[in-house]
Amino acid sequence: AASDVYKRQGLCFARADAGWPQERLGVAEPLIPLLLRLPLVNWDNVRVLRDALEAEVRSRLQIEEGEASALVESWMKAGRLLALLDGLDEVPGDRRPLARRAIEDFIRSGAGRVIVASRPAGFEPLDRVREYMLKPLEDVEKEVLPYVRGWLMALKPEWAPEAEARARRLLEEIEARPALRRLRNNPLLLRLAAEYYIRTDGQIARSRAELYRAWVEEAWRRAEARGASPEQKNGALEALEAIAWHLHLGGGNDEEGLLEGLREFGGLTLSL
């Protein structure tokens, strides 16, 4: 999943003092990753990608416009900016040419490095962008085991000396449970299984539903850490249920489609 790629990038650069960028990404200098969800950008008002990046910095750091502009400028001048652009395929069709043009102009300017994520169905080649296709994990020893071991080490550094043994045990338990066996080639579900394993001090989830339930609770804990009040939880879960049902029935996952799902299945008028 693209989100895992972005999380791995961010984690590696956050651990620059331990040499992770060089060791795990082959990047000599530490970069500053900045995630931008392309479907959430108002492309009617944004023609230059830098404007959207500055707005994202301003929102995330809760700083003034001038401060955000100065930060982005300093990262660009130092050659340290890494723009992680997610969901190009989710940008509404009539706005996608604007997004593509802004990305290509930014790349041609040399202002920073760029990684763009898109599903194949909505993707057209971008100028000067090298393409890679993410595929399911297949080889247990060469792909699955290192992936799980890496997440265990990243999420629980004190487990590093025994990370491989723990990863093997986790994979053996997954293989032994029919309800979980299909997780083995899915990077996202494997990461959730690894996080569950860590949070429960070595317990294995009994089913995918249990993994999803634990992840929703973890997501809510993070929301509370960012300032959400406990009274908002029921409304948030109702909205999540409505969106999940909307997507299950094939509804769109751009902003307009999700809002329609909230109205139709949840009777909600939340803004995203």
Side-chain angles (χ1 to χ4, degrees), residues 209-223:
E210 189 171 356
L211 278 182
Y212 296 144
R213 189 178 304 112
W215 181 247
V216 168
E217 290 299 326
E218 174 64 21
W220 179 251
R221 284 193 289 271
R222 295 181 185 181

Side-chain angles (χ1 to χ4, degrees), residues 11-28:
L11 178 61
C12 287
F13 288 121
R15 298 296 302 276
D17 57 337
W20 282 27
Q22 175 68 37
E23 175 188 341
R24 305 189 180 203
L25 301 177
V27 178

Side-chain angles (χ1 to χ4, degrees), residues 99-237:
R100 289 173 47 83
R101 191 176 309 119
I103 294 169
E104 291 178 333
D105 288 346
F106 185 82
I107 293 170
R108 282 192 289 267
S109 74
R113 303 189 189 193
V114 172
I115 298 178
V116 186
S118 171
R119 293 182 181 87
F123 180 73
E124 296 178 16
L126 290 160
D127 187 35
R128 301 190 184 186
V129 171
R130 187 177 301 171
E131 297 173 24
Y132 298 91
M133 178 74 73
L134 297 182
K135 66 177 183 65
L137 299 172
E138 295 175 350
D139 189 291
V140 174
E141 291 294 322
K142 294 181 180 179
E143 298 176 349
V144 181
L145 179 63
Y147 180 82
V148 175
R149 182 183 65 230
W151 272 112
L152 293 181
M153 291 173 62
L155 297 170
K156 194 90 167 177
E158 58 267 37
W159 281 7
E162 53 188 311
E164 178 150 354
R166 285 184 176 270
R168 287 189 182 280
R169 176 175 176 268
L170 175 57
L171 291 175
E172 288 169 1
E173 292 283 352
I174 288 174
E175 180 63 25
R177 303 186 185 199
L180 297 178
R181 196 170 294 153
R182 292 176 59 188
L183 267 63
R184 207 173 66 175
N185 69 346
N186 186 307
L188 173 60
L189 294 179
L190 272 179
R191 177 172 62 79
L192 295 184
E195 292 191 35
Y196 185 96
Y197 181 73
I198 288 171
R199 285 199 306 271
T200 58
D201 197 27
Q203 299 298 311
I204 312 295
R206 290 168 295 182
S207 65
R208 282 179 289 176
E210 189 171 356
L211 278 182
Y212 296 144
R213 189 178 304 112
W215 181 247
V216 168
E217 290 299 326
E218 174 64 21
W220 179 251
R221 284 193 289 271
R222 295 181 185 181
E224 287 188 316
R226 294 194 298 268
S229 67
E231 293 76 19
Q232 294 175 296
K233 182 176 182 179
N234 287 339
L237 293 181

Side-chain angles (χ1 to χ4, degrees), residues 59-78:
S59 172
R60 287 182 178 273
L61 301 184
Q62 295 296 294
I63 58 178
E64 297 296 326
E65 182 176 347
E67 294 178 279
S69 179
L71 270 179
V72 173
E73 176 73 17
S74 67
W75 298 339
M76 288 167 42
K77 283 187 175 179

